[in-house]
Amino acid sequence: MKKQDKVIITCAVTGSIHTPTMTPHLPITPGEIAEASIGAAEAGASIIHLHARDPQDGKPTPDPDVFMQFLPRIKQSTNAVINITTGGGHGMTVQERLAAPLRARPEMCSLNMGSMNFGLYPMLDRYPDFEHAWERQHLENSRDYIFRNTFKDIEYILKELGDAHGTRFEFECYDVGHLYNLAHFLDRKLVKPPLFVQTIFGILGGIGADPENVMHMRRIADKLFGDEWCWSILAAGRNQMPFCSMAATMGANVRVGLEDSIYLGKGTLAETNAAQVAKIRRIMEDLSLQIATPEDARAMLDLKGADRVGF
């Protein structure tokens, strides 16, 4: 793992997993997403990871016109690195998932490193009623859904977005096999270090949220990538803060935000993304860890700079 003196905090402000019924604090409209992103940056996040929502009902959307209603405002108001999803949401084609990134040409995008089951349907038992009809179907559909990220898909994204526009990637690894997939692309020289490897725990269909798995994922990544990778970690739901704290003591960067968990603590909904960022920042500082600025993050991850994006 690449040595670093500072911790990058990423904030994923809305995602495509949680639905409006689950929390009234989920950013939905372009204005809400922009405000949430600016607040997270002010609280200490150096990278902002972004999805878009239909402003009418909160359904995840790949529409680049919606993205363009909040991306320029975030850029104008913060110096944060803007990281746009290429994972999109359930049921979106690869072409739909790439529409906004190809228009925006951001410094960074997420890139999922393998196809997988991605089960959200257990959340159905927690909510007897839903505000919008699409929400129940969204969760139920995940029972028979494969999140497609084939080798061909990944090659396409690396070429069309990475090679063509200089975008670098947050490589999202939901299981050990995804690390080996990334090593395959590194061996073929289709990706270039430093690799920003996001290890993800607690999604049904991926590696479980067990502390032993954190150690295992780091050990395998060290074996595959040596000192050519920067580690980051996220964990779903109640595991968010404990896993980020644990991994940070081992040299990891951290990701929080309402995409990954809608809670600030046990039984307490997070009212803002900034509240989660502020909490993990306090934990990092209590561990005597320094927080990376956006410019620190750009240097650590070899990003092209905000002046070269397309918005």
Side-chain angles (χ1 to χ4, degrees):
M1 185 171 60
K2 185 178 179 181
K3 290 184 178 180
Q4 58 183 55
D5 298 322
K6 298 180 180 181
V7 177
I8 297 169
I9 299 175
T10 296
C11 184
V13 301
T14 189
S16 62
I17 293 174
H18 297 110
T19 71
T21 296
M22 298 176 185
T23 173
H25 309 301
L26 189 68
I28 299 295
T29 68
E32 291 169 348
I33 292 171
E35 290 174 8
S37 301
I38 295 165
E42 291 174 345
S46 54
I47 300 177
I48 306 297
H49 175 65
L50 293 161
H51 292 241
R53 301 268 184 166
D54 185 319
Q56 300 303 315
D57 61 8
K59 187 175 182 179
T61 178
D63 187 348
D65 290 338
V66 178
F67 276 88
M68 287 301 176
Q69 292 177 47
F70 57 77
L71 292 177
R73 181 178 168 194
I74 298 169
K75 180 187 175 186
Q76 292 162 9
S77 302
T78 79
N79 189 34
V81 174
I82 293 177
N83 171 346
I84 301 176
T85 180
T86 68
H90 284 191
M92 298 179 191
T93 67
V94 173
Q95 288 71 29
E96 288 174 329
R97 288 155 50 182
L98 268 191
L102 285 176
R103 184 187 295 187
R105 307 191 304 275
E107 295 182 79
M108 176 170 279
C109 280
S110 63
L111 180 52
N112 300 79
M113 293 312 298
S115 301
M116 60 183 290
N117 294 328
F118 203 111
L120 306 177
Y121 62 89
M123 289 191 284
L124 284 166
D125 296 334
R126 304 178 196 171
Y127 305 96
D129 299 298
F130 288 92
E131 183 178 348
H132 303 286
W134 71 266
E135 297 179 69
R136 182 177 296 280
Q137 195 64 43
H138 173 73
L139 299 176
E140 180 57 44
N141 285 348
S142 71
R143 196 185 301 269
D144 189 33
Y145 171 71
I146 296 172
F147 183 25
R148 172 181 164 146
N149 297 283
T150 65
F151 291 111
K152 183 178 179 179
D153 294 337
I154 295 169
E155 289 173 3
Y156 175 71
I157 294 171
L158 290 172
K159 178 181 177 182
E160 297 299 322
L161 191 56
D163 293 345
H165 297 297
T167 297
R168 289 181 62 80
F169 297 96
E170 169 203 9
F171 295 105
E172 297 199 338
C173 297
Y174 290 79
D175 218 331
V176 177
H178 293 180
L179 296 174
Y180 283 91
N181 290 349
L182 179 56
H184 163 78
F185 289 109
L186 181 63
D187 289 343
R188 292 173 59 194
K189 295 182 169 43
L190 296 181
V191 298
K192 300 177 181 65
L195 307 175
F196 190 44
V197 180
Q198 187 75 254
T199 53
I200 300 169
F201 301 87
I203 296 294
L204 182 60
I207 197 166
D210 296 299
E212 298 91 335
N213 287 338
V214 177
M215 302 289 292
H216 184 53
M217 290 285 273
R218 178 187 166 167
R219 183 166 55 247
I220 296 300
D222 275 333
K223 172 185 173 181
L224 295 174
F225 310 128
D227 61 358
E228 296 185 320
W229 71 295
C230 294
W231 184 23
S232 186
I233 184 171
L234 73 88
R238 67 180 181 274
N239 297 298
Q240 181 186 70
M241 294 293 172
F243 272 58
C244 285
S245 302
M246 171 188 174
T249 66
M250 299 160 58
N253 303 290
V254 298
R255 180 174 125 173
V256 296
L258 295 183
E259 172 173 349
D260 304 331
S261 174
I262 57 175
Y263 291 95
L264 186 62
K266 186 176 181 179
T268 303
L269 290 172
E271 295 187 8
T272 63
N273 282 274
Q276 289 188 350
V277 173
K279 180 173 180 176
I280 197 64
R281 178 173 185 164
R282 287 195 301 272
I283 293 171
M284 298 299 98
E285 291 174 342
D286 285 346
L287 292 171
S288 299
L289 299 171
Q290 289 186 283
I291 306 302
T293 67
E295 288 308 316
D296 291 330
R298 289 184 173 95
M300 292 161 67
L301 303 177
D302 193 24
L303 303 183
K304 64 182 182 180
D307 59 328
R308 294 180 56 197
V309 303
F311 56 91

